[in-house]
Amino acid sequence: MSEFRSGFIAVLGKPNVGKSTLVNALLGQKIAAVSPRPQTTRRRQLGILTTETAQMIFVDTPGIHAAKHKLGQFLNQEAGEALEGVDVALLLVDASAEPDEDDQRAAELLTSLRRPPRLVLGLNKIDLLGETKLVERQAAYQALVPQAEAIAFSAATRQGLDGLLAALEARLPERPPEYPEDQLTDLYEREIAADLIRESALLMLREEVPHGVNVRIDEFKERSEEMVYIHATLFVERDSQKGIVIGEGGKMLKKIGSAARAEIEAMGGRKAFLELRVKVEKDWRNREDVLRRFGYSLKGKK
């Protein structure tokens, strides 16, 4: 009988390649916010998959990109630090598009490590292109990380996920599990609720507003086994953004709240009473004092 395998797998790549979608698909349950907008993920989050033969601890990371503000610097820092001490790195790319500068940045981060983890190249979104084009794209991405084994799959349709899991498990060390077999993530329900509220805002709003939205949970109370009460504040950077988030007669904020409540209820398996408000925190993405207050701290900053 083979030994049990266990280890940490960093899921790395540029924004919007499907990192959170993949983690949710592998776990069979939504634990991470997902939207078509880049930079949906703003912090490292663990997704824990336990099978009869292995425990795979996925570290979902922010997308690597050319930072335009201090929040962007923090996101890149989070992604880089996620590689420290992991057993495997899964470099995720969008096979439906050509490699670009952000893909190059992610590959260079991996190859610059003194002690790089075992590496797998994940070619996601193969449902969006044909076999001939896939061969071409695989060669282009393989050139960035020649030492990696390439696995093609679609997180959205689940095509090829069994092959990906087998490749990742084979690279994990033989050791006991780190977490109880029924644990899915390291975040608490209130932290995931904040991400789901921001996800709803990302999906409902347009243009620059979504990237300037941050969510703080002000109250999270268990009213019974069947009901939770949540009061949250959405912070934006400008007065004009506040009006957009609230909408005419409060309609947009109600839409955001309704969508978020449905996701929170699906996650927790119980009813949720959700109250939202909107406040302005001017230019918060470039203010280190506010970033620290919101839980984002650049390395070397106190």
Side-chain angles (χ1 to χ4, degrees):
M1 183 177 176
S2 61
E3 293 291 329
F4 192 87
R5 295 179 181 272
S6 174
F8 290 82
I9 302 165
V11 185
L12 200 76
K14 70 180 181 182
N16 216 27
V17 292
K19 295 182 293 294
S20 297
T21 300
L22 175 62
V23 172
N24 289 339
L26 293 174
L27 297 185
Q29 181 173 328
K30 187 169 186 176
I31 64 160
V34 176
S35 88
R37 305 276 187 180
Q39 300 173 31
T40 302
T41 300
R42 285 184 176 169
R43 60 184 163 192
R44 283 172 282 174
Q45 178 180 1
L46 300 186
I48 306 163
L49 175 64
T50 306
T51 68
E52 291 183 358
T53 56
Q55 183 173 87
M56 288 171 261
I57 307 159
F58 295 95
V59 187
D60 188 14
T61 66
I64 295 171
H65 63 292
K68 296 179 180 177
H69 42 64
K70 292 186 184 298
L71 175 63
Q73 294 173 28
F74 170 83
L75 298 181
N76 283 340
Q77 172 188 297
E78 280 282 284
E81 290 181 354
L83 294 170
E84 296 176 6
V86 299
D87 301 286
V88 180
L90 172 61
L91 176 59
L92 201 62
V93 300
D94 178 357
S96 71
E98 299 274 359
D100 62 15
E101 290 182 356
D102 285 338
D103 292 303
Q104 183 71 44
R105 284 188 184 90
E108 287 174 352
L109 176 60
L110 287 165
T111 55
S112 69
L113 297 173
R114 271 195 226 169
R115 296 181 181 176
R118 295 179 176 183
L119 182 58
V120 173
L121 172 63
L123 298 151
N124 190 21
K125 305 188 183 182
I126 62 170
D127 54 308
L128 302 180
L129 73 170
E131 186 66 33
T132 302
K133 184 62 74 173
L134 175 58
V135 172
E136 180 185 312
R137 291 284 163 74
Q138 179 171 329
Y141 282 108
Q142 191 85 62
L144 299 178
V145 281
Q147 72 277 33
E149 178 186 1
I151 306 290
F153 59 89
S154 168
T157 66
R158 302 190 60 84
Q159 178 187 353
L161 289 190
D162 288 344
L164 175 64
L165 285 175
L168 294 172
E169 180 177 331
R171 286 163 173 76
L172 294 178
E174 294 184 356
R175 64 183 178 214
E178 298 273 344
Y179 294 92
E181 65 177 29
D182 59 346
Q183 185 170 342
L184 290 176
T185 183
D186 61 328
L187 294 186
Y188 291 103
E189 192 176 346
R190 66 179 292 152
E191 295 172 306
I192 299 175
D195 284 342
L196 294 177
I197 294 167
R198 191 167 60 85
E199 175 195 53
S200 295
L202 286 169
L203 292 170
M204 299 288 178
L205 300 169
R206 300 184 199 174
E207 299 175 3
E208 186 59 22
V209 175
H211 302 299
V213 172
N214 193 67
V215 176
R216 182 186 68 198
I217 302 295
D218 300 310
E219 270 191 272
F220 191 98
K221 289 185 176 179
E222 312 274 349
R223 290 194 166 170
S224 70
E225 289 185 4
E226 293 81 30
M227 167 69 78
V228 62
Y229 168 78
I230 304 168
H231 184 275
T233 301
L234 283 73
F235 290 92
V236 294
E237 294 186 296
R238 299 191 296 273
D239 291 324
S240 59
Q241 294 176 341
K242 180 177 179 179
I244 293 170
V245 174
I246 293 173
E248 185 179 353
K251 288 181 180 179
M252 177 55 73
L253 192 61
K254 288 177 183 175
K255 284 176 66 176
I256 292 169
S258 178
R261 185 175 65 251
E263 292 286 356
I264 291 167
E265 289 178 345
M267 172 195 62
R270 57 182 170 175
K271 291 289 184 183
F273 184 80
L274 179 62
E275 283 190 310
L276 301 177
R277 64 173 178 168
V278 184
K279 292 184 69 175
V280 176
E281 189 67 75
K282 292 190 182 296
D283 196 30
W284 68 264
R285 286 182 295 173
N286 270 315
R287 293 170 54 195
E288 290 181 12
D289 58 328
V290 181
L291 286 170
R292 283 196 300 272
R293 181 151 41 93
F294 286 166
Y296 310 116
S297 183
L298 286 168
K299 198 170 186 178
K301 304 289 184 182
K302 294 184 179 180

